[in-house]
Amino acid sequence: MMEMPQIRLGSDDSWLELAQTGEDSWRVTADWCSSLSADFTAYLTRKEVADFTARMLSHLRAPSGSRFSEAVTPGRNNPLRLHAEPVEDRFAFFVYLTPNGDDEVCHLQMEINPIDATELRDMFDALLASVVL
């Protein structure tokens, strides 16, 4: 059986995972120091995830190392937004999760410590390869 596409960013203390669980079903799971957590289903197509991943890679491959922000989907049903801040040759992420779409009332914000830019590119390259079949 083929493994479902997924990506996990962060460390044991603070992490975010996006994993496909069905045809148009993805699981968004996050934890920050065992104090804040989120675990919900997001209805996304592989194309939406592939487009998001390609946009992330375009920023991560840019030589400028500038801050950037990307949402999984551009519409009101967006479950995940990542804001990246450069820290030397790494990026720290500020994660904004919205289980009910772009909901200002029910959301989780958290920070993920800096991750090496090369490691991030490799992780997003692997995700893109797994969603583009």
Side-chain angles (χ1 to χ4, degrees):
M1 179 175 208
M2 189 169 76
E3 191 173 317
M4 294 295 240
Q6 67 180 20
I7 190 168
R8 183 178 171 131
L9 303 174
S11 63
D12 290 342
D13 291 335
S14 180
W15 54 269
L16 164 72
E17 184 175 71
L18 179 64
Q20 187 174 19
T21 58
E23 181 67 28
D24 288 334
S25 180
W26 291 73
R27 194 96 203 133
V28 179
T29 310
D31 187 83
W32 184 78
C33 299
S34 299
S35 296
L36 295 173
S37 63
D39 186 17
F40 61 93
T41 299
Y43 299 98
L44 303 166
T45 65
R46 277 185 170 223
K47 181 173 180 359
E48 288 173 316
V49 174
D51 290 347
F52 165 71
T53 304
R55 291 190 311 272
M56 289 293 296
L57 282 166
S58 72
H59 293 294
L60 292 168
R61 290 182 179 138
S64 67
S66 300
R67 72 175 59 160
F68 63 91
S69 181
E70 283 297 338
V72 172
T73 63
R76 65 176 181 79
N77 293 323
N78 175 50
L80 167 64
R81 189 177 316 123
L82 294 176
H83 301 282
E85 288 286 333
V87 180
E88 297 174 2
D89 60 345
R90 307 168 81 157
F91 283 95
F93 286 100
F94 298 94
V95 180
Y96 189 84
L97 301 172
T98 51
N100 299 323
D102 283 337
D103 185 347
E104 294 300 320
V105 177
C106 182
H107 69 276
L108 170 78
Q109 296 180 74
M110 60 181 263
E111 181 180 343
I112 296 176
N113 287 333
I115 303 169
D116 180 77
T118 302
E119 183 181 343
L120 283 167
R121 284 190 299 271
D122 291 347
M123 287 189 285
F124 279 100
D125 274 333
L127 178 61
L128 186 60
S130 69
V131 293
V132 179
L133 300 176

PDB file of all heavy atoms in Angstrom, residues 9 11-12 19 27 36 39-40 74 79 81-83 104 113 121 127:
ATOM      1  N   LEU A   9       6.606  19.652  10.544  1.00  0.00           N
ATOM      2  CA  LEU A   9       7.558  20.718  10.800  1.00  0.00           C
ATOM      3  C   LEU A   9       7.711  20.898  12.299  1.00  0.00           C
ATOM      4  O   LEU A   9       6.724  20.868  13.026  1.00  0.00           O
ATOM      5  CB  LEU A   9       7.055  22.043  10.212  1.00  0.00           C
ATOM      6  CG  LEU A   9       6.743  22.069   8.724  1.00  0.00           C
ATOM      7  CD1 LEU A   9       6.123  23.408   8.349  1.00  0.00           C
ATOM      8  CD2 LEU A   9       7.994  21.812   7.914  1.00  0.00           C
ATOM      9  N   SER A  11       9.886  20.430  16.221  1.00  0.00           N
ATOM     10  CA  SER A  11      10.620  19.528  17.098  1.00  0.00           C
ATOM     11  C   SER A  11       9.654  18.869  18.075  1.00  0.00           C
ATOM     12  O   SER A  11       8.443  19.015  17.942  1.00  0.00           O
ATOM     13  CB  SER A  11      11.675  20.327  17.877  1.00  0.00           C
ATOM     14  OG  SER A  11      11.021  21.273  18.710  1.00  0.00           O
ATOM     15  N   ASP A  12      10.177  18.182  19.060  1.00  0.00           N
ATOM     16  CA  ASP A  12       9.319  17.542  20.056  1.00  0.00           C
ATOM     17  C   ASP A  12       8.501  18.547  20.854  1.00  0.00           C
ATOM     18  O   ASP A  12       7.402  18.251  21.290  1.00  0.00           O
ATOM     19  CB  ASP A  12      10.158  16.696  21.026  1.00  0.00           C
ATOM     20  CG  ASP A  12      10.732  15.455  20.357  1.00  0.00           C
ATOM     21  OD1 ASP A  12      10.218  15.069  19.292  1.00  0.00           O
ATOM     22  OD2 ASP A  12      11.698  14.891  20.898  1.00  0.00           O
ATOM     23  N   ALA A  19      -1.249  15.817   7.086  1.00  0.00           N
ATOM     24  CA  ALA A  19      -1.187  14.454   6.543  1.00  0.00           C
ATOM     25  C   ALA A  19      -2.487  14.107   5.835  1.00  0.00           C
ATOM     26  O   ALA A  19      -3.575  14.324   6.375  1.00  0.00           O
ATOM     27  CB  ALA A  19      -0.934  13.452   7.669  1.00  0.00           C
ATOM     28  N   ARG A  27      -5.451  15.702   7.666  1.00  0.00           N
ATOM     29  CA  ARG A  27      -5.460  15.907   9.111  1.00  0.00           C
ATOM     30  C   ARG A  27      -4.433  16.986   9.428  1.00  0.00           C
ATOM     31  O   ARG A  27      -3.271  16.891   8.995  1.00  0.00           O
ATOM     32  CB  ARG A  27      -5.068  14.606   9.821  1.00  0.00           C
ATOM     33  CG  ARG A  27      -5.374  14.627  11.257  1.00  0.00           C
ATOM     34  CD  ARG A  27      -6.735  13.957  11.480  1.00  0.00           C
ATOM     35  NE  ARG A  27      -7.275  14.446  12.716  1.00  0.00           N
ATOM     36  CZ  ARG A  27      -8.517  14.861  12.864  1.00  0.00           C
ATOM     37  NH1 ARG A  27      -9.357  14.802  11.872  1.00  0.00           N
ATOM     38  NH2 ARG A  27      -8.943  15.291  14.002  1.00  0.00           N
ATOM     39  N   LEU A  36      -0.810  23.883  24.173  1.00  0.00           N
ATOM     40  CA  LEU A  36      -1.791  24.201  23.144  1.00  0.00           C
ATOM     41  C   LEU A  36      -1.736  23.098  22.106  1.00  0.00           C
ATOM     42  O   LEU A  36      -0.657  22.652  21.723  1.00  0.00           O
ATOM     43  CB  LEU A  36      -1.464  25.533  22.461  1.00  0.00           C
ATOM     44  CG  LEU A  36      -1.540  26.790  23.296  1.00  0.00           C
ATOM     45  CD1 LEU A  36      -1.012  27.977  22.496  1.00  0.00           C
ATOM     46  CD2 LEU A  36      -2.970  27.056  23.732  1.00  0.00           C
ATOM     47  N   ASP A  39      -6.143  19.436  16.471  1.00  0.00           N
ATOM     48  CA  ASP A  39      -6.243  18.181  15.718  1.00  0.00           C
ATOM     49  C   ASP A  39      -7.594  18.204  15.023  1.00  0.00           C
ATOM     50  O   ASP A  39      -8.629  18.056  15.672  1.00  0.00           O
ATOM     51  CB  ASP A  39      -6.117  16.987  16.663  1.00  0.00           C
ATOM     52  CG  ASP A  39      -6.062  15.660  15.925  1.00  0.00           C
ATOM     53  OD1 ASP A  39      -5.796  15.658  14.708  1.00  0.00           O
ATOM     54  OD2 ASP A  39      -6.301  14.630  16.572  1.00  0.00           O
ATOM     55  N   PHE A  40      -7.583  18.434  13.710  1.00  0.00           N
ATOM     56  CA  PHE A  40      -8.852  18.540  12.987  1.00  0.00           C
ATOM     57  C   PHE A  40      -8.685  18.114  11.529  1.00  0.00           C
ATOM     58  O   PHE A  40      -7.569  18.053  11.012  1.00  0.00           O
ATOM     59  CB  PHE A  40      -9.415  19.967  13.071  1.00  0.00           C
ATOM     60  CG  PHE A  40      -8.532  21.042  12.479  1.00  0.00           C
ATOM     61  CD1 PHE A  40      -8.685  21.439  11.162  1.00  0.00           C
ATOM     62  CD2 PHE A  40      -7.565  21.660  13.259  1.00  0.00           C
ATOM     63  CE1 PHE A  40      -7.876  22.442  10.634  1.00  0.00           C
ATOM     64  CE2 PHE A  40      -6.751  22.661  12.737  1.00  0.00           C
ATOM     65  CZ  PHE A  40      -6.909  23.049  11.418  1.00  0.00           C
ATOM     66  N   PRO A  74      -6.488  29.924  -0.839  1.00  0.00           N
ATOM     67  CA  PRO A  74      -6.719  31.364  -0.840  1.00  0.00           C
ATOM     68  C   PRO A  74      -8.120  31.755  -0.352  1.00  0.00           C
ATOM     69  O   PRO A  74      -8.373  32.904  -0.063  1.00  0.00           O
ATOM     70  CB  PRO A  74      -6.548  31.736  -2.316  1.00  0.00           C
ATOM     71  CG  PRO A  74      -6.902  30.497  -3.063  1.00  0.00           C
ATOM     72  CD  PRO A  74      -6.488  29.351  -2.175  1.00  0.00           C
ATOM     73  N   PRO A  79      -7.521  26.321   6.258  1.00  0.00           N
ATOM     74  CA  PRO A  79      -7.276  25.800   7.609  1.00  0.00           C
ATOM     75  C   PRO A  79      -5.905  26.127   8.189  1.00  0.00           C
ATOM     76  O   PRO A  79      -5.666  25.943   9.366  1.00  0.00           O
ATOM     77  CB  PRO A  79      -7.394  24.290   7.414  1.00  0.00           C
ATOM     78  CG  PRO A  79      -6.878  24.090   6.019  1.00  0.00           C
ATOM     79  CD  PRO A  79      -7.326  25.304   5.241  1.00  0.00           C
ATOM     80  N   ARG A  81      -2.180  28.717   7.822  1.00  0.00           N
ATOM     81  CA  ARG A  81      -1.342  29.769   7.266  1.00  0.00           C
ATOM     82  C   ARG A  81       0.004  29.711   7.970  1.00  0.00           C
ATOM     83  O   ARG A  81       0.053  29.572   9.194  1.00  0.00           O
ATOM     84  CB  ARG A  81      -1.988  31.134   7.490  1.00  0.00           C
ATOM     85  CG  ARG A  81      -1.297  32.254   6.770  1.00  0.00           C
ATOM     86  CD  ARG A  81      -2.013  33.610   6.942  1.00  0.00           C
ATOM     87  NE  ARG A  81      -3.448  33.512   6.799  1.00  0.00           N
ATOM     88  CZ  ARG A  81      -4.329  33.912   7.747  1.00  0.00           C
ATOM     89  NH1 ARG A  81      -3.905  34.419   8.878  1.00  0.00           N
ATOM     90  NH2 ARG A  81      -5.617  33.798   7.547  1.00  0.00           N
ATOM     91  N   LEU A  82       1.081  29.798   7.197  1.00  0.00           N
ATOM     92  CA  LEU A  82       2.436  29.813   7.747  1.00  0.00           C
ATOM     93  C   LEU A  82       3.092  31.157   7.455  1.00  0.00           C
ATOM     94  O   LEU A  82       3.072  31.625   6.314  1.00  0.00           O
ATOM     95  CB  LEU A  82       3.299  28.709   7.122  1.00  0.00           C
ATOM     96  CG  LEU A  82       2.924  27.268   7.416  1.00  0.00           C
ATOM     97  CD1 LEU A  82       3.829  26.327   6.630  1.00  0.00           C
ATOM     98  CD2 LEU A  82       3.014  26.980   8.890  1.00  0.00           C
ATOM     99  N   HIS A  83       3.655  31.770   8.483  1.00  0.00           N
ATOM    100  CA  HIS A  83       4.451  32.986   8.342  1.00  0.00           C
ATOM    101  C   HIS A  83       5.887  32.579   8.668  1.00  0.00           C
ATOM    102  O   HIS A  83       6.145  32.048   9.747  1.00  0.00           O
ATOM    103  CB  HIS A  83       4.000  34.071   9.318  1.00  0.00           C
ATOM    104  CG  HIS A  83       2.570  34.463   9.149  1.00  0.00           C
ATOM    105  ND1 HIS A  83       2.140  35.290   8.147  1.00  0.00           N
ATOM    106  CD2 HIS A  83       1.473  34.137   9.857  1.00  0.00           C
ATOM    107  CE1 HIS A  83       0.831  35.455   8.247  1.00  0.00           C
ATOM    108  NE2 HIS A  83       0.400  34.756   9.274  1.00  0.00           N
ATOM    109  N   GLU A 104     -11.814  34.184  13.023  1.00  0.00           N
ATOM    110  CA  GLU A 104     -11.052  34.977  13.976  1.00  0.00           C
ATOM    111  C   GLU A 104     -11.371  34.602  15.426  1.00  0.00           C
ATOM    112  O   GLU A 104     -10.693  35.022  16.349  1.00  0.00           O
ATOM    113  CB  GLU A 104     -11.319  36.476  13.757  1.00  0.00           C
ATOM    114  CG  GLU A 104     -10.805  36.987  12.418  1.00  0.00           C
ATOM    115  CD  GLU A 104      -9.309  36.813  12.252  1.00  0.00           C
ATOM    116  OE1 GLU A 104      -8.555  37.030  13.214  1.00  0.00           O
ATOM    117  OE2 GLU A 104      -8.877  36.462  11.137  1.00  0.00           O
ATOM    118  N   ASN A 113      10.223  26.780  16.318  1.00  0.00           N
ATOM    119  CA  ASN A 113      11.610  27.240  16.334  1.00  0.00           C
ATOM    120  C   ASN A 113      12.252  27.107  14.956  1.00  0.00           C
ATOM    121  O   ASN A 113      11.804  26.308  14.126  1.00  0.00           O
ATOM    122  CB  ASN A 113      12.416  26.458  17.362  1.00  0.00           C
ATOM    123  CG  ASN A 113      12.059  26.854  18.772  1.00  0.00           C
ATOM    124  OD1 ASN A 113      11.627  27.969  19.028  1.00  0.00           O
ATOM    125  ND2 ASN A 113      12.233  25.929  19.696  1.00  0.00           N
ATOM    126  N   ARG A 121      13.527  22.735   2.521  1.00  0.00           N
ATOM    127  CA  ARG A 121      13.376  22.481   1.079  1.00  0.00           C
ATOM    128  C   ARG A 121      13.222  20.986   0.816  1.00  0.00           C
ATOM    129  O   ARG A 121      12.373  20.571   0.027  1.00  0.00           O
ATOM    130  CB  ARG A 121      14.550  23.057   0.292  1.00  0.00           C
ATOM    131  CG  ARG A 121      14.498  24.559   0.133  1.00  0.00           C
ATOM    132  CD  ARG A 121      15.532  25.066  -0.855  1.00  0.00           C
ATOM    133  NE  ARG A 121      16.905  24.780  -0.462  1.00  0.00           N
ATOM    134  CZ  ARG A 121      17.650  25.580   0.301  1.00  0.00           C
ATOM    135  NH1 ARG A 121      17.163  26.710   0.752  1.00  0.00           N
ATOM    136  NH2 ARG A 121      18.886  25.240   0.597  1.00  0.00           N
ATOM    137  N   LEU A 127       7.134  16.334  -0.009  1.00  0.00           N
ATOM    138  CA  LEU A 127       5.670  16.464  -0.007  1.00  0.00           C
ATOM    139  C   LEU A 127       5.156  16.701  -1.416  1.00  0.00           C
ATOM    140  O   LEU A 127       4.196  16.052  -1.842  1.00  0.00           O
ATOM    141  CB  LEU A 127       5.223  17.586   0.928  1.00  0.00           C
ATOM    142  CG  LEU A 127       3.713  17.855   0.970  1.00  0.00           C
ATOM    143  CD1 LEU A 127       2.947  16.620   1.450  1.00  0.00           C
ATOM    144  CD2 LEU A 127       3.413  19.066   1.848  1.00  0.00           C
TER     145      LEU A 127
END
